[in-house]
Amino acid sequence: MTQHLVDPRAPRDLTAFVAGLPKAELHVHHVGSASPRIVSELAARHPDSRVPTDPAALVDYFSFTDFAHFIEVYLSVVDLIRTPEDVRLLTFEVARDLARQQVRYAELTITPFSSTRRGIDERAFMDAIEDARKAAEADFGTVLRWCFDIPGEAGLEAAEETTRLATDDRLRPEGLVSFGLGGPEVGVPRPQFKPYFDRAIAAGLHSVPHAGETTGPQTVWDALTHLRAERIGHGTSSAQDPKLLAHLAEHRIPLEVCPTSNIATRAVRTLDEHPIKEFAEAGVVVTINSDDPPMFGTDLDNEYAVAARLLDLDERGLADLAKNAVEASFLDAAGKARIKEEIDTYTAAWLDR
Ligand SMILES: Nc1ncnc2c1ncn2[C@@H]1O[C@H](CCC(=O)c2cccc(C(=O)O)c2)[C@@H](O)[C@H]1O
Ligand SMILES: [Zn+2]
């Protein structure tokens, strides 16, 4: 496998190390991963949209005044996805971008409600993502799995529809492994979603809600208590509650940390104020993720570089972070062992040069 080998002529800096490091991505949104090229292609296909067709203009368009503004812009991109072919193209191209960054395994958060309510046939939607998943694995070797999330602000109708799409045996896609909850948190209390998470969990799905991204630590407690969260999306405000940090560490509930996202949505003021170091020092399992990378002007490699700076990590520390994500994933034991071994082999080869 040539993927293991380190090119002796490659630069020796951490950026180059990260670029070749095999990785797992656990928190990345489907529509939020659309590259400027895909967004402009879709915008050109649907000229009634207010999304710019020029990739350069997208940089300004993807500049957010606050979290609510981010969601408004996000939904304008959701509006560009109108046909099953749009869904297939987006999914396959997202996998291509992940593969380019040596992502071996990704759990992609998809909001099927947003597509079905916009008129995409539910069967055709499932077929489109599954078709792209299989093609991506065959063409790039990147394994994709799905997390279906409830857009909480859209209310209990969205919760019901998402749960139905995730648990109906005739629809549920083979790649679906988990159930989430996204969108704004303010005014959207987590406990009301308990019955839907109960049904999803009973159907064998893992619970991975967003919590503590834009509200305080009580939201994270609610996600743990009412939604039986196995990992927390962001969990940023957990840093305000030492008991919560101790609980997350003791029960080994990983946080899906997305540093650049938190700055772009203004959930955190500056990277230097990001609590990632407090998480690590409290013994919480930290995983590094990219959330909506093109919208936030980042990618997973950059998020690892940010983490290296904030946590003062060398190559071994970065390899440990990558292994945290593999371990926290919903991949089977053999799949986890394979990627962790690949990480170790790559790191040893890098350090031995
Ligand atoms: N950083 C993030 N933090 C949280 N979520 C994030 C983040 N990034 C991306 N999302 C996604 O945004 C969606 C929001 C969609 C939403 O609120 C909504 C409301 C009303 C109607 C509709 C509709 O479709 O008609 C949708 C979430 O489901 C989630 O998958
Ligand atoms: Zn997210």
Side-chain angles (χ1 to χ4, degrees):
M1 286 258 281
T2 51
Q3 280 161 342
H4 290 176
L5 300 175
V6 174
D7 181 347
R9 294 159 306 175
R12 286 166 184 269
D13 55 283
L14 283 184
T15 308
F17 173 76
V18 166
L21 179 67
K23 291 174 281 289
E25 163 81 276
L26 305 182
H27 189 125
V28 62
H29 295 263
H30 185 223
V31 173
S33 299
S35 66
R37 186 176 64 79
I38 296 300
V39 173
S40 51
E41 189 176 323
L42 291 169
R45 263 189 215 180
H46 308 301
D48 56 317
S49 160
R50 65 189 167 89
V51 179
T53 49
D54 170 13
L58 279 172
V59 175
D60 280 344
Y61 189 67
F62 289 155
S63 169
F64 311 112
T65 51
D66 56 17
F67 191 82
H69 179 221
F70 160 66
I71 291 292
E72 189 191 319
V73 171
Y74 187 88
L75 289 177
S76 71
V77 180
V78 169
D79 278 333
L80 293 176
I81 305 183
R82 300 190 185 172
T83 68
E85 179 44 34
D86 292 343
V87 174
R88 208 205 84 90
L89 172 80
L90 169 66
T91 315
F92 186 72
E93 293 304 318
V94 169
R96 189 197 301 280
D97 288 342
L98 290 167
R100 207 178 282 132
Q101 297 178 81
Q102 310 304 326
V103 173
R104 302 287 188 263
Y105 172 85
E107 291 170 17
L108 202 56
T109 297
I110 298 187
T111 316
F113 171 79
S114 290
S115 290
T116 57
R117 86 172 293 190
R118 283 170 176 75
I120 299 184
D121 174 74
E122 57 198 35
R123 172 82 270 148
F125 181 86
M126 302 302 174
D127 289 347
I129 59 172
E130 283 294 292
D131 187 45
R133 177 177 73 79
K134 288 174 189 159
E137 191 167 335
D139 290 6
F140 311 130
T142 296
V143 172
L144 293 183
R145 292 289 180 265
W146 318 126
C147 167
F148 278 4
D149 81 329
I150 301 170
E153 202 181 37
L156 297 185
E157 179 211 342
E160 178 58 43
E161 177 73 347
T162 308
T163 310
R164 183 181 68 78
L165 294 167
T167 59
D168 182 334
D169 286 339
R170 288 159 303 180
L171 283 172
R172 175 183 168 157
E174 220 181 293
L176 184 66
V177 292
S178 61
F179 198 69
L181 172 58
E185 291 174 30
V186 177
V188 188
R190 311 284 98 172
Q192 64 184 314
F193 300 104
K194 175 177 166 38
Y196 307 96
F197 274 75
D198 282 347
R199 280 161 57 195
I201 293 166
L205 297 176
H206 297 281
S207 169
V208 288
H210 286 63
E213 180 186 18
T214 49
T215 58
Q218 185 56 46
T219 308
V220 180
W221 283 118
D222 286 346
L224 294 169
T225 310
H226 298 283
L227 311 183
R228 293 185 272 160
E230 292 167 65
R231 297 192 312 245
I232 300 285
H234 298 279
T236 320
S237 64
S238 305
Q240 297 164 21
D241 182 344
K243 280 208 180 88
L244 176 56
L245 287 181
H247 180 94
L248 294 170
E250 184 190 340
H251 295 275
R252 298 198 61 75
I253 311 237
L255 295 184
E256 300 159 2
V257 178
C258 314
T260 301
S261 157
N262 297 146
I263 309 309
T265 64
R266 309 201 182 225
V268 175
R269 236 163 39 93
T270 64
L271 273 178
D272 289 320
E273 289 168 79
H274 197 284
I276 186 169
K277 191 147 192 173
E278 288 158 76
F279 299 154
E281 284 171 355
V284 175
V285 177
V286 167
T287 68
I288 298 298
N289 305 277
S290 63
D291 212 11
D292 303 285
M295 294 187 178
F296 300 146
T298 191
D299 60 19
L300 188 59
D301 284 351
N302 184 56
E303 295 309 286
Y304 272 78
V306 168
R309 181 171 79 72
L310 297 179
L311 297 174
D312 196 19
L313 300 176
D314 60 9
E315 288 89 343
R316 283 187 211 284
L318 283 165
D320 286 344
L321 268 188
K323 285 194 276 183
N324 278 358
V326 176
E327 198 46 57
S329 77
F330 301 128
L331 195 53
D332 61 26
K336 287 184 184 181
R338 205 166 38 243
I339 305 179
K340 285 195 289 185
E341 196 192 314
E342 216 193 325
I343 292 170
D344 284 338
T345 307
Y346 170 79
T347 306
W350 179 275
L351 294 174
D352 272 3
R353 289 194 298 168

